[in-house]
Amino acid sequence: MATTASRTVLSALIGLVSVALLTSGCSAEAPAQAAPAELGTAETAVLPDLNTFGKIENAPLDPAPTAKATDKVFKVTKELPVYDKPGGKPFGKLPTVQVGSPTWVPVIAEQGDWAQVLLPARPNGLAGWIHTPGSTESARNPYTVTVNLANYSLEIFKDGASQGTHKVGIGKAEFPTPKGRHYLMASIEETKNTYSKYVLPLSAHSDSHETFGGGPGTVALHTWPTNEHIGKSTSDGCIRVAPETLTKLMDLPLGTVISIT
């Protein structure tokens, strides 16, 4: 749970592609596909930031936290309003950088030029709609990760095929690792703490710690000085992994969905 100098992990992204215009049963004039009214700089500025430090009240939640996400991710190339529904009201804005890494968000649904994405602010499980033309770049991400808390296991998938299962450590009973559909938000080269050379913050937050170590209680994947934590519930909510597991996770693209059950 740290926020320091960062290092991106975009090497695994499979080539940038143009934003696909999906067809649907709605006509071109349907509100679900209508472009939003252009927000001025001042209007955008007053929207709360959707980052790991943010907390948004009464915002929409992930409608299917146990469902499979799409294989598309969007990079935010300029400050981007997020809406409660296609053509609806903006409730926050995504910055171009999250904890020093470029902002990539996973897509869980699409309607025309609109994409529903997972968000990194509190409370856990926030989701919202972005209008993609002109403010994003898209890429295909074949990777997903599942974490089974009961089995203390983490499994990496590529195009649905398992790339291996790894034993992990998880949060204590009083500081549980939050369940749900989260994603890999950033990559940090740690300079403050010594427990892990690199830390991979997720979009999730501890439900027990409002803050931790001076940060916002962001849940992360990281190593520990010894492997005694593997297969145990000893952390404050983070997922502790062996060094070889962290090396594999660092090859994953930002925006990779991490489903915790």
Side-chain angles (χ1 to χ4, degrees), residues 74 82 94 105-109 115-119 126-130 183:
F74 277 107
V82 180
L94 281 169
V105 287
V107 177
I108 58 175
Q116 189 179 30
V117 299
L118 299 180
L119 300 169
L126 288 184
W129 291 85
I130 58 174
Y183 67 91

Side-chain angles (χ1 to χ4, degrees), residues 189-211:
E189 184 173 4
E190 185 59 72
T191 59
K192 181 180 178 181
N193 296 304
T194 60
Y195 56 79
S196 187
K197 186 175 180 180
Y198 297 101
V199 175
L200 302 179
L202 306 183
S203 59
H205 296 82
S206 168
D207 288 323
S208 305
H209 293 293
E210 283 294 323
T211 62

Side-chain angles (χ1 to χ4, degrees), residues 172-243:
K172 306 170 188 176
E174 63 269 36
F175 305 124
T177 300
K179 295 181 180 181
R181 187 162 55 169
H182 311 296
Y183 67 91
L184 180 60
M185 179 182 63
S187 177
I188 295 172
E189 184 173 4
E190 185 59 72
T191 59
K192 181 180 178 181
N193 296 304
T194 60
Y195 56 79
S196 187
K197 186 175 180 180
Y198 297 101
V199 175
L200 302 179
L202 306 183
S203 59
H205 296 82
S206 168
D207 288 323
S208 305
H209 293 293
E210 283 294 323
T211 62
F212 188 87
T218 306
V219 172
L221 297 155
H222 60 74
T223 60
W224 201 244
T226 71
N227 283 340
E228 294 178 358
H229 61 279
I230 298 297
K232 297 179 181 179
S233 303
T234 57
S235 82
D236 281 271
C238 284
I239 299 170
R240 295 174 177 173
V241 301

Side-chain angles (χ1 to χ4, degrees), residues 154 156 163-168 196 200 222-224 226-227 229-230 240-252:
L154 178 151
I156 300 172
Q163 304 299 295
T165 302
H166 308 262
K167 281 294 185 180
V168 300
S196 187
L200 302 179
H222 60 74
T223 60
W224 201 244
T226 71
N227 283 340
H229 61 279
I230 298 297
R240 295 174 177 173
V241 301
E244 57 270 24
T245 303
L246 186 65
T247 297
K248 294 181 182 298
L249 292 168
M250 288 178 63
D251 286 337
L252 302 182

Side-chain angles (χ1 to χ4, degrees), residues 41-61:
T41 302
E43 293 173 297
T44 302
V46 299
L47 292 174
D49 290 322
L50 290 162
N51 58 31
T52 195
F53 298 93
K55 185 174 183 179
I56 312 297
E57 303 292 345
N58 302 316
L61 297 175

